[in-house]
Amino acid sequence: MVFIGRERELKVLNDIYAKGGFRTFALYGRRRVGKSAMLRQFCTDKKSLFFVSGRYSEAINLELFRNCIFSLTGKLPRPYGNFIEAFTDMKDVCGKEKIVVVIDEYPYLIKTAPYVSSLLQTYIDHELKDSDIFLILCGSSMHTMVEELDDGDAPLFGRFLNRMELRPMSYVRCTDFHKDLSADDNLKIYGAVGGIPLYHSMFSGGSFAEGIMKNFVTGTEMSEEAKNIVLMELMPARTYGSIISAMSAGANRISTIADKAGIDGPLCSKCLNNMIFLGIAKKEILLANSNKKPTYVLKDNFLRFHSGVIEKCVPLISSGRTEEACGMISEMFRTHMGDVFEEVCAEFLSKRFPCVSVGTWRRSDVKTKTAEEIDIVAEVFDKKGNYCILAECKYSVSKVGSDVLNGLEMKAELVKGLGEKKLALFSRSGFEDRLTEHAEKNGILLFDLEDIYR
């Protein structure tokens, strides 16, 4: 399989590698984000010892480490009784040359052999400090990795100053998996699976509709994957699964999420904070003179799509009524894509302009019993000074007309505290000619899919 993307991250690793001497690096990120694949790509032109620990006993992990030494040297070492013996061999084999040593899924290793962190501290401080080894720890359990590296009482505290959280790929980079598809199909695929490289590779080789049929309707691998994310990353799974279902159904405040999920508020708040830490959910950023409370939404497109769309079609899929299932998925997908389109437009603005912050604006008036909102508010700071961009996003099959701009202009009058205002419209399907002409004369920013994906 051809490796795609991660140029910036690989450059960081290569720059550290090029410095020489003993170096350490920690890489972590949620499951399936592509950490191991990126490290293997980094090691392709370098001599390396690549150890992947597993959810096994210490004895089995020791045997796996022994096999790694064999792969590197061509000589099978003696059986190891503990990791003291294993790391001694590692030092003897790797300490005399420039080499990359990767310990992947480190949290699994210290679960079965807790003493390894203290042992590794000793080797870093004494045994390896004069070597030319580039030592990399990697793990999917972000909580464990952060605790091991940041807890002042932890053995590895201060030993891995070079670190990186590998995050899902941007919507633009995901197009590298589907270069023959239109911007519209690329946007739909991103809306269904987010920025996880593996999922895009599973969708490659066909249109969006073909990918849905292959991966969710006639095949069940991706549906099983969605369940595994909850089972492996979010415990207790039943509680988190209920929260995800509630959020997919539209609940967006702690009280309403808790009610729909059938749990108490404090537990719901704790779970939401954990989901935010993992990048699965996000808390809305309200800017300017917003006076409503922020809401919580699922940030993970894949989980939101599966929970909010696919799970509702399971009866049709299970009974083999594939055409009806695809029709139902297509119908619900339009609603699902509204939030995805706003997310993509916000990401586009943050990269196109020097934004200080990007959020939204929501305000209600108790006296008039009205509520207004603007999809995106971006605070910008450049050489000309501070200003803000107020934007509306329309994911519709028809072109956007002047009525949308008129509505934005009226709401913009209510926004206070952000200085000069610039207005912008995003449209999936383009703009009416009359609006385009008006925008050119009055400095209104218009962006369609081709602009967003350019």
Side-chain angles (χ1 to χ4, degrees), residues 211-230:
I212 292 294
M213 176 67 80
K214 177 179 68 174
N215 293 293
F216 290 102
V217 180
T218 58
T220 61
E221 186 175 355
M222 294 203 77
S223 290
E224 291 301 315
E225 177 68 15
K227 296 173 186 176
N228 288 337
I229 291 174
V230 178

Side-chain angles (χ1 to χ4, degrees), residues 136 156 229 343 349 382 386 432-433 435 439:
I136 300 175
L156 296 182
I229 291 174
E343 171 208 333
L349 279 181
D382 60 18
N386 291 353
E432 294 179 357
D433 293 341
L435 174 57

Side-chain angles (χ1 to χ4, degrees), residues 202-216:
M202 295 169 72
F203 259 74
S204 63
S207 67
F208 168 73
E210 290 169 338
I212 292 294
M213 176 67 80
K214 177 179 68 174
N215 293 293
F216 290 102

Side-chain angles (χ1 to χ4, degrees), residues 188-196 199-200 203 216 222 301-302 305:
K188 289 178 182 177
I189 294 173
Y190 181 78
V193 301
I196 303 298
Y199 304 161
H200 282 272
F203 259 74
F216 290 102
M222 294 203 77
N301 290 343
F302 176 52
F305 170 64

Side-chain angles (χ1 to χ4, degrees), residues 98-111:
K98 189 168 187 175
I99 192 167
V100 180
V101 175
V102 177
I103 302 179
D104 199 1
E105 294 298 356
Y106 186 71
Y108 291 164
L109 178 60
I110 59 175
K111 190 171 183 179

